[in-house]
Amino acid sequence: MKRLYIILFFMLFMLSGCLTIIDNEDSDEYRALSNQYETYVTNDITQVDQFESFVNETTFTSMMSNVMIKIQIFSDLHNLVETRYGSGVIFAVGAYNYVLTTFELTDIPSNLLVTYQVADYQGRTTSAYIDKFSEDYGLAVLKFRRILSNHLPAIEFADQNSLLGEPVLLFGYIEEIMNSMSMGLVEETNSESNILDEYVYTTIESDIYANGSAVIDINNQLIGIQAGVSEGLSYAISITNIMEFLELYTDYQELD
Amino acid sequence: MDIEGDIMKKVITVIMLFFLSLSIVACHEEKTYDDLYLEYLTHIENNELNYQSSIDYFNHLSQEVIKSVVLVEKIVQTSSESSTGSGVLFKSDANYYYILTNNHVIYSEIVSDSTIYTISDFQGNEYDAELIEQSGDYDLAILRIERGPLDLPIIEFAPSNPLVYEKMAVLGYPGYQINAISLGNVVDYAFIEVESTSFDVINVLFDVLISDVPVKSGSSGSVSVNDQFQLVGIVYAGNFKDTSTTSEYTFSIPVEKVLEFFQLKQFSLEDNS
């Protein structure tokens, strides 16, 4: 009987400690997701304090990377044919400030004359130039000369795509409001055109002026470049595609 | 009997050992990528209502309330003196919009035709403004601009001062930054000593609203709103530690004192046009 009690005791002991014996999958994907989840929970905006910190950080730091873009298109007789407005975000700073925006905004027939003007978060305007573009990725880079007394920071990139339902924030030129911000959630779509990893669909309220705007996650890191609105949902070019596009620079970090 | 008893004991022991090894195997669990992904998604899903409530609150601030906030610039042409701050549209009539800002934003020792006030709205449209009222005792001033083609919304006043710990947002143009929004809470009401060149500029002797909403230097005249998006104060100072450009605490003229200022100046909030 004594032996039985010992075995019973041992069984209960093992069962009570059951939750502690969990082995995590040994893979890079698991570790990456685990880190992403841990960071997400740390910065989760469910707590009022965390939400306030997120907004304050966006206003006082990330928004300084925002630019509003004005493109004027002239005929070969120098007559103004079209004026386009959009948004962009500074992603690298060196002798120039480098701005990510959409290809669509800068897609202009080569026989026309074009001037690019950017306004920073304080509304200071300067001329800009097209540096790189790719129709395949839907992205373009503008650059404008950096002024030392006017430091504009570069946005940080996220390592991973955001998950369905995560809160995200867009900053840019929305509904003709300069330096505007708009929040929403990452949304799934039934659209057949949705190719995995190509676009991030969100519930952010947006319009054509916001195309090229930065979409950031709750860590204030870039997860997309706003590309348009379809069936009531905003869609942004995903960070995966942005990083691939930036490979066009042998090492974009050397721009810093 | 002893032999049968021994056999029974051995059988029971074997059964127990079998269950024991089963339980040990059951206790040993591997958490896969899919398990973690599901846990992550469930965490997000469980907080969806909470996220949506924060998003709705923030989007109303950034897409609606912000349209009432303006940039105020003063230039004295004869002396090249200039200053900037923020302001808020609080009244409109058939001909004008009225803007509330700080006295120290628009103050000039000698007011003459060479003092020019300019207001910029959320779209960057500029308007010439006229000074209507001012007071160093409240550090408040009223300007007005002629109505243009663009309809601008005006802010509502809260009927009373917000309570300590209430949610608060500050909207303005700190150091020329367009449409800045920062969030925090009401912390206290107390008298704050603010350095000023003259009592005519700032001579606030009453308890002011203290909040932990951070603001950048140059936020004077920014509007403080409660979670009903009503004006609860006008930012007039902040405490900036060392060389920091962002304040730890923000000091606002509370709404009850703003309304008292209107009464004192016999300024009606009704449309008299």
Side-chain angles (χ1 to χ4, degrees):
Chain A
M1 277 307 278
K2 204 175 167 185
R3 201 186 298 165
L4 277 177
Y5 286 133
I6 290 168
I7 290 168
L8 265 174
F9 173 76
F10 195 64
M11 274 178 72
L12 282 171
F13 176 78
M14 288 306 291
L15 280 169
S16 67
C18 211
L19 290 174
T20 61
I21 311 170
I22 296 174
D23 275 347
N24 295 330
E25 184 184 305
D26 185 22
S27 69
D28 289 341
E29 289 78 15
Y30 184 93
R31 277 186 286 277
L33 185 68
S34 179
N35 288 339
Q36 187 183 352
Y37 184 28
E38 201 176 308
T39 310
Y40 183 82
V41 171
T42 308
N43 296 331
D44 197 354
I45 61 166
T46 48
Q47 299 296 317
V48 174
D49 287 358
Q50 296 284 65
F51 175 63
E52 289 169 358
S53 298
F54 165 65
V55 170
N56 296 341
E57 173 80 12
T58 307
T59 295
F60 295 132
T61 309
S62 307
M63 282 288 285
M64 291 170 74
S65 309
N66 181 42
V67 296
M68 289 152 282
I69 300 168
K70 181 182 177 184
I71 299 173
Q72 288 189 304
I73 305 164
F74 300 89
S75 69
D76 47 6
L77 296 170
H78 291 268
N79 293 323
L80 183 64
V81 177
E82 188 188 346
T83 302
R84 294 181 188 176
Y85 294 93
S87 308
V89 63
I90 298 168
F91 71 96
V93 179
Y96 290 89
N97 294 303
Y98 294 85
V99 176
L100 257 178
T101 187
T102 56
F103 168 77
E104 199 183 354
L105 190 67
T106 60
D107 181 23
I108 294 147
S110 56
N111 61 320
L112 297 174
L113 304 168
V114 190
T115 62
Y116 298 93
Q117 196 177 53
V118 290
D120 70 10
Y121 75 106
Q122 293 188 338
R124 293 171 293 202
T125 57
T126 187
S127 296
Y129 311 92
I130 191 95
D131 194 45
K132 288 252 185 319
F133 59 87
S134 163
E135 189 172 2
D136 293 342
Y137 287 99
L139 289 166
V141 172
L142 297 178
K143 65 178 185 181
F144 64 97
R145 193 163 280 285
R146 179 185 171 199
I147 301 166
L148 285 176
S149 59
N150 173 20
H151 176 67
L152 301 170
I155 194 85
E156 278 182 26
F157 294 106
D159 297 330
Q160 312 279 341
N161 289 316
S162 290
L163 264 59
L164 183 68
E166 278 191 27
V168 285
L169 183 146
L170 176 149
F171 59 79
Y173 187 44
I174 316 164
E175 289 177 19
E176 297 183 74
I177 304 174
M178 298 194 295
N179 241 23
S180 189
M181 294 184 270
S182 182
M183 285 188 76
L185 299 171
V186 176
E187 185 65 279
E188 66 183 337
T189 174
N190 293 323
S191 168
E192 285 177 7
S193 63
N194 178 28
I195 301 160
L196 188 68
D197 284 348
E198 191 176 351
Y199 293 116
V200 184
Y201 283 79
T202 69
T203 61
I204 292 172
E205 284 179 29
S206 180
D207 62 14
I208 194 164
Y209 296 107
N211 287 356
S213 296
V215 180
I216 58 168
D217 60 15
I218 59 168
N219 308 314
N220 266 280
Q221 293 177 323
L222 188 78
I223 57 136
I225 291 289
Q226 174 72 8
V229 181
S230 169
E231 295 170 13
L233 289 178
S234 285
Y235 59 96
I237 297 160
S238 73
I239 190 67
T240 314
N241 273 18
I242 292 169
M243 298 314 284
E244 275 181 33
F245 166 70
L246 290 177
E247 295 301 318
L248 291 174
Y249 292 101
T250 45
D251 184 353
Y252 79 86
Q253 284 168 335
E254 280 178 10
L255 297 170
D256 289 344
Chain B
M1 275 299 280
D2 280 351
I3 296 166
E4 278 180 11
D6 280 350
I7 290 168
M8 271 305 282
K9 268 185 188 174
K10 277 179 186 168
V11 169
I12 292 169
T13 308
V14 168
I15 292 169
M16 286 299 192
L17 280 170
F18 174 73
F19 279 112
L20 175 64
S21 34
L22 256 187
S23 67
I24 291 169
V25 170
C27 283
H28 189 266
E29 195 180 295
E30 193 189 43
K31 191 172 180 182
T32 62
Y33 178 91
D34 290 344
D35 295 332
L36 184 66
Y37 191 81
L38 189 66
E39 186 184 324
Y40 194 165
L41 281 181
T42 309
H43 173 90
I44 294 169
E45 208 176 299
N46 290 343
N47 289 304
E48 192 186 337
L49 288 177
N50 201 332
Y51 294 147
Q52 197 55 57
S53 150
S54 297
I55 287 168
D56 292 344
Y57 166 69
F58 180 76
N59 284 349
H60 192 81
L61 281 176
S62 66
Q63 287 159 25
E64 300 302 328
V65 184
I66 202 78
K67 292 178 180 171
S68 309
V69 183
V70 294
L71 172 69
V72 179
E73 288 178 283
K74 178 202 74 182
I75 296 172
V76 182
Q77 287 177 316
T78 48
S79 64
S80 309
E81 178 198 335
S82 67
S83 61
T84 64
S86 307
V88 62
L89 301 159
F90 69 96
K91 177 186 169 177
S92 66
D93 58 27
N95 302 313
Y96 298 102
Y97 284 111
Y98 296 83
I99 294 132
L100 192 60
T101 186
N102 286 134
N103 184 51
H104 76 262
V105 169
I106 54 87
Y107 183 83
S108 286
E109 252 179 74
I110 302 159
V111 178
S112 69
D113 289 346
S114 67
T115 309
I116 293 172
Y117 305 105
T118 308
I119 300 297
S120 303
D121 66 21
F122 69 97
Q123 288 187 347
N125 303 309
E126 292 188 348
Y127 309 80
D128 291 333
E130 181 188 353
L131 180 62
I132 303 295
E133 295 289 357
Q134 64 185 123
S135 163
D137 293 342
Y138 291 84
D139 194 13
L140 291 173
I142 302 170
L143 298 164
R144 74 177 181 189
I145 55 173
E146 281 185 22
R147 290 184 76 111
L150 182 66
D151 269 339
L152 299 167
I154 57 168
I155 200 140
E156 256 182 54
F157 289 90
S160 57
N161 291 342
L163 300 172
V164 172
Y165 301 126
E166 255 189 59
K167 256 164 81 170
M168 207 180 102
V170 169
L171 293 85
Y173 286 74
Y176 282 102
Q177 177 169 348
I178 302 165
N179 296 329
I181 300 172
S182 49
L183 307 177
N185 299 278
V186 178
V187 170
D188 201 0
Y189 288 87
F191 168 73
I192 301 293
E193 208 164 321
V194 176
E195 276 182 34
S196 171
T197 50
S198 155
F199 289 141
D200 290 339
V201 186
I202 308 176
N203 185 35
V204 175
L205 300 174
F206 48 79
D207 287 356
V208 298
L209 189 166
I210 303 171
S211 74
D212 61 6
V213 182
V215 293
K216 272 188 181 172
S217 53
S219 289
S220 294
S222 296
V223 62
S224 305
V225 296
N226 60 15
D227 58 4
Q228 304 295 307
F229 312 107
Q230 296 167 318
L231 184 151
V232 292
I234 295 291
V235 173
Y236 84 110
N239 74 327
F240 295 87
K241 277 190 173 173
D242 305 323
T243 54
S244 173
T245 54
T246 308
S247 74
E248 194 178 1
Y249 294 105
T250 302
F251 310 126
S252 303
I253 306 297
V255 64
E256 288 177 14
K257 287 292 175 186
V258 173
L259 298 172
E260 192 177 286
F261 162 73
F262 291 150
Q263 263 189 338
L264 198 78
K265 295 290 181 183
Q266 293 180 320
F267 182 88
S268 170
L269 288 174
E270 303 296 317
D271 178 356
N272 300 322
S273 61

